[in-house]
């Protein structure tokens, strides 16, 4: 089960990347809206309309999704490698695999499967919407891609149920910290949960009430540059995850203290559990993305990524962190990692990062090397010849390619011909007596 979830996580990166490739390529071909600035410096017959991807709302919809596809790639790679390592240790007997390690990989795959597959499914649908009316065409490739991928949100654990599995494991870490069992805590050093130990200890030392207040916060003087620092952003996500997890533990304890049964208390905490699971998954995705880029940097000349590629992917990492911070702003404000006064600088940093990444958007799509055959999309063609491809797809549609008598479309003779009489649109059905009866006009019958 864990291995299947790991493959679902890893395959999500390709599904999301394919959708982004189609939508971003089309958004660079499609032009809409008069560009007065371009008109002033226009040469010959250069277009004076905006590329759709130049609109900020289109960038906000698509560029974070593209960045997320790379994050899911690195995370999926890490999870599969970790599972393979555990399997090797079990088979060879070279190490003892504790229940803590097994529980951790279960929590990791559950959290990531739930979050990554849900994010990918929503992302594919948003890519379809970002293509406007043409996104509804079967020829766009997005309709089939969306319908094919949607099952991933349900198989191997429904996305709404898996957060409970995640929190059950994470709460054991909270209990281990509360018990002060140092031997037990050592087992967590090789787990994905280890990042939670230090902030949870600090939170428990402070005592606290609901909602939990983070022991880390951006300084009041923080500006745009502070929100472009990846280690600082990761620290904020780390503390958000710890605070939301402790909130679940305290809510359960408080509810049962008020006389609720364990089952009632657990049911009341389900929404908080989903938030805690999402926070855990988003931190792991960002951490594995950062670790993956650091590993490639450490490989130097043996890496397939050069300095320019690493710079662009680092921009993707920063953009994704800022995007999720903006999307889940209420969490960061609740735990007081951020103050309301920080929000303008956060959004300015997000805007600046989108500006930096915009010239590389098509290149990041092309780097995935999806063939036109695989994309099956008139909108996402590599050569950008979109509109002839749409017309060709229309010509090849069976309803247009096959025709009945007189070259009209299928179904005309059987259904429509009798509704049309001399252009009047009158419908005059015959009767058994041979007398013609005046019926409703074609127009009226259709209304």
């Amino acid at each position: 089960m864990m291995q299947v979830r790991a493959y679902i996580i890893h395959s999500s990166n390709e599904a999301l990347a394919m959708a982004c490739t189609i939508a971003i390529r089309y958004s660079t071909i499609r032009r809409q809206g008069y560009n007065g600035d371009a008109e002033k410096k226009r040469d010959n017959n250069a277009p004076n309309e905006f590329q759709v991807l130049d609109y900020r709302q289109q960038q906000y919809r698509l560029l974070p999704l593209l960045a997320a596809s790379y994050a899911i790639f690195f995370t999926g790679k890490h999870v599969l490698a970790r599972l393979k390592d555990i399997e090797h240790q079990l088979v060879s007997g070279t190490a003892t695999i504790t229940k803590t390690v097994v529980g951790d990989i279960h929590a990791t795959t559950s959290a990531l499967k739930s979050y990554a597959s849900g994010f990918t499914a929503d992302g594919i649908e948003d890519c379809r919407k970002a293509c406007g009316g043409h996104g509804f065409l079967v020829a766009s490739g997005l309709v089939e891609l969306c319908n094919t991928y949607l099952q991933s949100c349900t198989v191997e654990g429904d996305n709404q149920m898996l957060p409970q599995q995640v929190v059950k494991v994470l709460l054991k870490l909270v209990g281990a910290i509360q018990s002060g069992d140092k031997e037990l805590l050592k087992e967590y050093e090789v787990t994905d949960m280890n990042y939670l130990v230090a902030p949870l200890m600090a939170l428990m030392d402070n005592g606290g009430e609901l909602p939990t207040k983070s022991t880390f916060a951006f300084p009041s003087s923080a500006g745009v540059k502070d929100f472009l620092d990846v280690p600082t952003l990761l620290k904020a996500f780390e503390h958000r995850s710890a605070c939301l997890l402790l909130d679940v533990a305290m809510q359960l304890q408080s509810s049962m203290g008020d006389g609720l049964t364990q089952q009632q208390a657990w049911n009341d905490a389900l929404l908080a559990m989903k938030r805690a699971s999402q926070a855990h998954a988003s931190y792991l995705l960002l951490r594995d993305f950062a670790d993956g880029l650091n590993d490639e940097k450490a490989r130097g000349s043996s890496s397939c990524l050069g300095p320019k590629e690493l710079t662009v992917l680092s921009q993707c990492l920063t953009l994704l962190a800022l995007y999720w911070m903006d999307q889940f702003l209420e969490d960061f404000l609740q735990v007081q990692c951020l103050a309301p006064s920080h929000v303008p600088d956060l959004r300015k940093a997000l805007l600046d990062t989108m500006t930096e990444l915009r010239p590389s958007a098509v290149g990041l799509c092309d780097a995935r090397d999806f063939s036109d055959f695989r994309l099956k999309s008139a909108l996402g063609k590599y050569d950008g010849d979109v509109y002839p491809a749409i017309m060709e797809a229309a010509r090849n549609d069976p309803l247009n390619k096959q025709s009945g008598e007189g070259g009209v479309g299928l179904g005309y003779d059987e259904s429509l011909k009798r509704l049309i009489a001399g252009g009047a649109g009158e419908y005059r059905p015959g009767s058994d007596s041979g007398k013609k009866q005046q019926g409703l006009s074609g127009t009226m019958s259709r209304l």
Side-chain angles (χ1 to χ4, degrees):
M1 183 177 283
M2 288 188 286
Q3 190 173 46
V4 175
R5 286 176 186 162
Y7 280 116
I8 291 173
I9 296 163
H10 190 61
S11 66
S12 297
N13 92 83
E14 287 197 353
L16 185 55
M18 288 171 70
C20 289
T21 298
I22 294 168
I24 288 174
R25 284 179 178 173
Y26 179 66
S27 295
T28 58
I29 297 300
R30 173 76 174 175
R31 290 179 178 272
Q32 193 168 331
Y34 174 71
N35 186 351
D37 293 335
E39 180 70 23
K40 293 174 185 175
K41 33 187 182 178
R42 189 176 176 191
D43 296 323
N44 299 324
N45 292 319
N48 64 338
E49 286 187 289
F50 284 106
Q51 290 175 301
V52 173
L53 192 58
D54 288 333
Y55 287 101
R56 288 300 194 182
Q57 67 266 45
Q58 193 79 344
Q59 293 176 12
Y60 188 77
R61 292 173 86 176
L62 297 179
L63 296 185
L65 297 180
L66 180 61
S69 73
Y70 280 94
I72 298 170
F73 167 79
F74 282 105
T75 301
K77 193 175 168 186
H78 167 78
V79 172
L80 285 170
R82 188 160 174 238
L83 273 172
K84 188 175 181 180
D85 182 57
I86 291 173
E87 182 182 354
H88 173 73
Q89 291 179 40
L90 285 170
V91 171
S92 64
T94 54
T96 302
I97 305 300
T98 65
K99 289 183 180 179
T100 301
V101 171
V102 174
D104 174 66
I105 194 66
H106 171 60
T108 295
T109 53
S110 296
L112 289 171
K113 185 269 174 185
S114 173
Y115 189 67
S117 62
F119 185 83
T120 298
D122 292 342
I124 295 171
E125 173 65 7
D126 215 22
C127 284
R128 185 186 64 76
K129 292 175 182 175
C131 291
H134 285 147
F136 286 87
L137 296 174
V138 172
S140 72
L142 291 166
V143 176
E144 180 181 344
L145 180 60
C146 185
N147 290 336
T148 301
Y149 184 80
L150 276 177
Q151 54 89 24
S152 297
C153 296
T154 303
V155 298
E156 292 301 331
D158 183 82
N159 285 359
Q160 297 299 318
M161 302 301 293
L162 284 176
Q164 295 182 70
Q165 299 290 318
V166 178
V167 172
K168 275 184 180 179
V169 177
L170 297 183
L171 286 176
K172 291 180 181 178
L173 172 60
V174 176
I177 294 172
Q178 287 176 330
S179 69
D181 189 337
K182 293 183 179 179
E183 290 300 317
L184 181 57
L185 287 175
K186 280 185 181 179
E187 294 182 7
Y188 285 94
E189 291 177 359
V190 294
T191 67
D192 287 325
M193 294 184 281
N194 190 50
Y195 78 93
L196 289 166
V197 174
L200 282 173
M201 283 183 170
L203 289 169
M204 290 179 188
D205 287 342
N206 286 349
E209 301 175 352
L210 284 169
T212 307
K213 180 180 177 181
S214 172
T215 55
F216 165 81
F218 283 88
S220 57
S221 59
V224 174
K225 288 185 178 180
D226 296 285
F227 288 101
L228 296 174
D229 183 62
V230 170
T232 304
L233 292 173
L234 286 175
K235 196 167 186 180
F237 275 85
E238 173 185 308
H239 282 258
R240 168 209 178 200
S241 182
C243 288
L244 294 183
L245 174 60
L246 195 56
D247 278 353
V248 174
M250 293 172 66
Q251 182 179 340
L252 288 170
Q253 186 177 10
S254 175
S255 296
M256 288 188 286
D258 290 340
L260 295 182
T261 66
Q262 184 176 355
Q263 185 174 350
Q264 291 170 330
W266 188 268
N267 188 36
D268 285 350
L270 288 180
L271 298 179
M273 289 180 192
K274 183 178 180 181
R275 287 191 290 271
S277 179
Q278 287 178 332
H280 183 54
S282 57
Y283 172 79
L284 294 179
L285 284 162
L286 293 171
R287 184 204 64 185
D288 289 343
F289 195 177
D291 289 347
L293 294 181
N294 289 333
D295 289 344
E296 292 299 327
K297 288 177 185 176
R299 290 174 62 187
S301 58
S302 64
S303 171
C304 63
L305 300 176
K308 291 183 179 179
E309 288 82 4
L310 287 169
T311 298
V312 171
L313 288 174
S314 295
Q315 291 169 355
C316 287
L317 171 59
T318 305
L319 175 62
L320 185 59
L322 292 170
Y323 174 76
W324 278 340
M325 190 172 279
D326 187 44
Q327 287 285 295
F328 297 102
L329 190 59
E330 67 277 9
D331 286 349
F332 292 94
L333 291 174
Q334 174 186 306
V335 304
Q336 299 182 41
C337 275
L338 290 177
S341 60
H342 290 130
V343 176
D345 287 324
L346 163 64
R347 290 179 173 160
K348 179 64 168 60
L350 178 60
L351 203 65
D352 291 347
T353 309
M354 288 196 298
T355 302
E356 289 181 348
L357 195 59
R358 165 63 182 91
S360 306
V362 174
L364 285 166
C365 294
D366 292 348
R368 304 305 291 260
D369 201 24
F370 296 122
S371 65
D372 286 345
F373 177 79
R374 189 172 179 194
L375 289 176
K376 294 184 281 189
S377 172
L379 306 186
K381 284 173 63 66
Y382 180 76
D383 61 11
D385 209 8
V386 168
Y387 296 103
I390 294 174
M391 289 301 297
E392 185 62 24
R395 291 189 191 99
N396 290 331
D397 189 283
L399 287 174
N400 295 325
K401 195 170 184 181
Q402 302 175 31
S403 60
E405 186 180 336
V408 295
L410 293 176
Y412 173 79
D413 289 326
E414 298 86 352
S415 303
L416 295 178
K417 186 176 181 180
R418 64 178 185 163
L419 298 178
I420 301 173
E426 292 182 346
Y427 176 33
R428 299 175 181 274
S431 64
D432 294 340
S433 62
K435 296 181 180 179
K436 292 185 178 178
Q437 297 177 352
Q438 178 71 43
L440 292 173
S441 70
T443 302
M444 287 297 293
S445 66
R446 286 191 290 274
L447 291 175

